Amino acid sequence: MYLANDTNKISDPRLLTKQLHTQILQGLRKALADLKEVGVENPGILKMRVRNWLFLYEEGEPVVDIILDKGYSLADVDARIVPRQAETTLTFDECTEFHKYLLSTTALDIFEDEVNIRVGSPGSEPTLYDWEDYEASVGDVLKVETWERVEGRSKFTMVLAEICGNKEPKVIVLAEGAHRFEIPLEEIKAAFVLPFHSLSKSVKMAKDAARQKARNGAFKKSK
């Protein structure tokens, strides 16, 4: 799918580029669509989508982490139900069936054989990719890393205050006190929704965001 030979296969996340990430995501989504066409043993797969994928080191080993869910309805988005709270439960059998099928395709041929391939659900810190993921997460604290620096930095842990879908490219707005950062969606390398807990600074950030909303209004511009 990507290479004529094995000379450029990768095993190091630092070699990943924006273009390559997009290519591989498209390949993973095509593989899932093909599986649905040929027939599935577990009907739940028909509602499944490839949400995103990550390339990382875990315990010193390179891992391709393919994140699946079953989406969420427009009602969920309107109610601002974050992805981890939507009814998107995956079963072990569903994940196993897709994993087995995926390894029979060329979708992951770019990676060296020693790279571990894992599939699973979004977990407690769901990653965001599609526009609807961000629509469902306005007001939450995000951890964001960009491909290129934005205003001198590439890492942010801030409240998602606003999304602007009427711009090209689409933009999310992260807020930290009076500071606001416009991040083009296409420049986001990775984004996660952080869980709130009593000892987390996310609680204070969320409260600050709520006060800011009361003064200025955090809103969605999706059209």
Side-chain angles (χ1 to χ4, degrees):
M1 179 177 178
Y2 306 102
L3 307 171
N5 54 54
D6 292 346
T7 57
N8 295 317
K9 288 195 172 187
I10 61 174
S11 61
D12 189 332
R14 290 172 294 185
L15 299 176
L16 188 63
T17 65
K18 178 170 63 174
Q19 181 181 9
L20 193 54
H21 179 277
T22 301
Q23 271 187 293
I24 293 170
L25 180 60
Q26 290 172 347
L28 293 171
R29 289 179 167 177
K30 182 179 185 304
L32 179 57
D34 291 345
L35 173 59
K36 293 176 181 180
E37 287 293 324
V38 300
V40 298
E41 296 177 10
N42 296 278
I45 292 176
L46 297 175
K47 296 182 179 180
M48 188 182 288
R49 70 163 175 158
V50 177
R51 180 186 186 84
N52 199 0
W53 75 278
L54 305 171
F55 194 14
L56 53 109
Y57 278 112
E58 190 168 283
E59 298 181 353
E61 299 292 331
V63 175
V64 167
D65 202 359
I66 301 164
I67 299 153
L68 310 172
D69 69 16
K70 293 179 182 174
Y72 31 78
S73 67
L74 180 59
D76 289 333
V77 174
D78 288 343
R80 296 212 11 242
I81 295 176
V82 298
R84 64 177 176 273
Q85 294 174 336
E87 294 296 328
T88 62
T89 304
L90 306 175
T91 69
F92 177 79
D93 289 342
E94 289 166 354
C95 292
T96 299
E97 184 176 351
F98 179 55
H99 184 273
K100 182 179 178 180
Y101 181 80
L102 187 60
L103 295 182
S104 72
T105 73
T106 60
L108 297 171
D109 281 2
I110 186 69
F111 298 103
E112 292 279 7
D113 291 342
E114 65 264 27
V115 175
N116 296 308
I117 308 299
R118 181 172 63 191
V119 301
S121 62
S124 62
E125 295 186 8
T127 179
L128 310 178
Y129 185 84
D130 292 325
W131 189 243
E132 64 178 352
D133 300 334
Y134 291 93
E135 285 186 302
S137 303
V138 172
D140 290 313
V141 178
L142 305 189
K143 182 177 180 181
V144 175
E145 182 176 358
T146 57
W147 293 103
E148 302 290 341
R149 289 182 178 274
V150 176
E151 296 189 33
R153 59 194 293 180
S154 60
K155 294 183 179 181
F156 306 81
T157 301
M158 299 179 184
V159 172
L160 176 58
E162 183 181 322
I163 60 175
C164 303
N166 58 344
K167 293 185 177 183
E168 284 300 334
K170 294 179 179 178
V171 168
I172 68 169
V173 179
L174 300 177
E176 183 179 56
H179 300 287
R180 293 165 66 83
F181 298 85
E182 290 195 2
I183 313 292
L185 198 68
E186 62 186 23
E187 287 300 328
I188 296 176
K189 182 178 183 179
F192 302 88
V193 178
L194 297 186
F196 296 159
H197 54 80
S198 58
L199 299 180
S200 173
K201 65 179 181 180
S202 299
V203 174
K204 180 180 183 302
M205 294 174 72
K207 289 180 178 178
D208 289 344
R211 285 193 288 269
Q212 186 71 17
K213 283 183 183 180
R215 290 193 296 269
N216 299 328
F219 58 93
K220 307 173 187 177
K221 294 180 180 176
S222 57
K223 294 182 180 180

